[in-house]
Amino acid sequence: MRLGELAELTAPEASDCDLELTAQWAAFICLVDDRFDRSRVDARPEEVASLFNRLLDVITGGHAGSGSGIEQALDDLWRRTAPRMSTQWRERFVADYRDFTLATREEVISRTDSVRLGLSDYILRRRRTITVLPMADILECTASAPWPGLPGGEDLMRALRLAVADVAGWTNDLASAEGDLREDRDNLVTVLSRERGCSLSSAREQVTVMRDGRVRDFHALAVSLTAMAVPGTEREGVRRYVAALGSFVAATLHWLGVTHRFDALWAPRPV
């Protein structure tokens, strides 16, 4: 899946140890997501709830006990990350990952009940299921770019993070559109086609325009944040944080064009 390349592009100044940690977090996030989306097995809501409850126990209770391999993997990652970060960071990561788990449960229930979302509802859920916000939290650690104290800039910071999530989610949907269509899974391309009554090729073009617009939104927000009048030491923190997210956006756009994640042949067959 070329996650080492993703890590190097995302955190180019990180140590080898932190590049490895970045790539391993990305692998964990992708494989948990693909467990339900690309495993060729219809996930049941209770199965999703059970797994995510166990994973949340790891990052809130601090240990995996005698859990499954996936719980032990998260426990290993958490032990190498959380102690380096503040209590506020740990609370934010848990909140972001919990929201991802809730959105994924909602998605599986919708799929089980054959519920089709409208475009606006799909967009809101997609930014929660893409798992970008937890990964952005990880970059605070591995890219040495912690959330800066920025009085008066909190709303801009949140808007910047949401722009990153939308860019990644929509680019992901462009990359996986054919596979999602074959598997009858909702995707921004197919949802837009259905809602606007247009062809899939036209929908793809429209989603590309939407995605490019969100990239511009990100850069405009980044300029606004770095231009804010803050003391010198805080200005450097803002610059590092914005630069880390900018590298993440650029790396994601590149990686989603070259990864084999969406090649149906890579996913293991159910036993």
Side-chain angles (χ1 to χ4, degrees):
M1 288 162 59
R2 299 175 71 167
L3 290 168
E5 181 177 352
L6 175 67
E8 290 173 355
L9 292 170
T10 298
E13 298 178 6
S15 66
D16 288 347
C17 181
D18 279 338
L19 287 176
E20 182 179 67
L21 185 58
T22 303
Q24 290 173 347
W25 268 109
F28 176 84
I29 283 171
C30 287
L31 293 171
V32 169
D33 183 56
D34 289 354
R35 182 185 184 99
F36 302 113
D37 276 352
R38 316 198 73 80
S39 65
R40 303 171 187 266
V41 176
D42 290 332
R44 299 185 303 275
E46 58 271 21
E47 175 192 358
V48 177
S50 175
L51 173 62
F52 284 143
N53 285 338
R54 297 196 307 272
L55 293 180
L56 287 168
D57 283 345
V58 171
I59 59 176
T60 56
H63 60 84
S66 58
S68 66
I70 199 167
E71 292 164 74
Q72 292 178 25
L74 179 57
D75 182 58
D76 172 66
L77 292 169
W78 189 244
R79 288 177 183 274
R80 288 189 282 139
T81 308
R84 299 166 56 181
M85 306 303 289
S86 67
T87 299
Q88 291 80 6
W89 179 90
R90 291 192 291 272
E91 291 173 349
R92 184 166 63 255
F93 181 90
V94 169
D96 287 339
Y97 201 77
R98 189 187 304 278
D99 191 52
F100 157 69
T101 71
L102 291 172
T104 302
R105 293 179 197 179
E106 293 167 11
E107 185 178 58
V108 170
I109 291 170
S110 293
R111 195 179 303 159
T112 301
D113 295 342
S114 299
V115 174
R116 299 293 191 181
L117 295 182
L119 181 60
S120 59
D121 288 336
Y122 179 85
I123 287 172
L124 290 174
R125 183 184 288 174
R126 189 68 182 110
R127 66 170 51 144
R128 298 165 62 211
T129 59
I130 191 60
T131 336
V132 161
L133 298 186
M135 196 65 207
D137 297 331
I138 297 303
L139 292 178
E140 292 184 43
C141 175
T142 60
S144 300
W147 180 288
L150 192 59
E154 293 293 321
D155 288 344
L156 282 177
M157 292 280 290
R158 294 188 185 94
L160 187 77
R161 281 162 49 96
L162 293 181
V164 178
D166 287 342
V167 169
W170 301 355
T171 306
N172 185 290
D173 280 12
L174 284 166
S176 66
E178 284 75 16
D180 289 337
L181 183 62
R182 286 194 301 269
E183 300 292 332
D184 195 30
R185 287 188 297 265
D186 267 349
N187 175 294
L188 185 55
V189 174
T190 55
V191 171
L192 189 147
S193 173
R194 183 172 66 236
E195 180 148 314
R196 296 183 179 175
C198 61
S199 67
L200 289 171
S201 60
S202 173
R204 175 180 284 279
E205 292 173 0
Q206 293 178 62
V207 170
T208 302
V209 170
M210 289 169 57
R211 189 275 314 278
D212 292 347
R214 284 304 269 159
V215 174
R216 290 192 294 272
D217 290 344
F218 171 84
H219 289 299
L221 288 163
V223 169
S224 296
L225 279 165
T226 54
M228 290 186 69
V230 294
T233 55
E234 294 179 2
R235 184 179 299 114
E236 175 60 17
V238 173
R239 187 201 67 78
R240 287 192 66 83
Y241 185 82
V242 170
L245 288 188
S247 293
F248 186 29
V249 168
T252 299
L253 290 172
H254 168 77
W255 177 71
L256 284 170
V258 300
T259 181
H260 294 291
R261 180 184 175 195
F262 302 110
D263 181 347
L265 297 178
W266 88 263
R269 300 293 197 277
V271 176

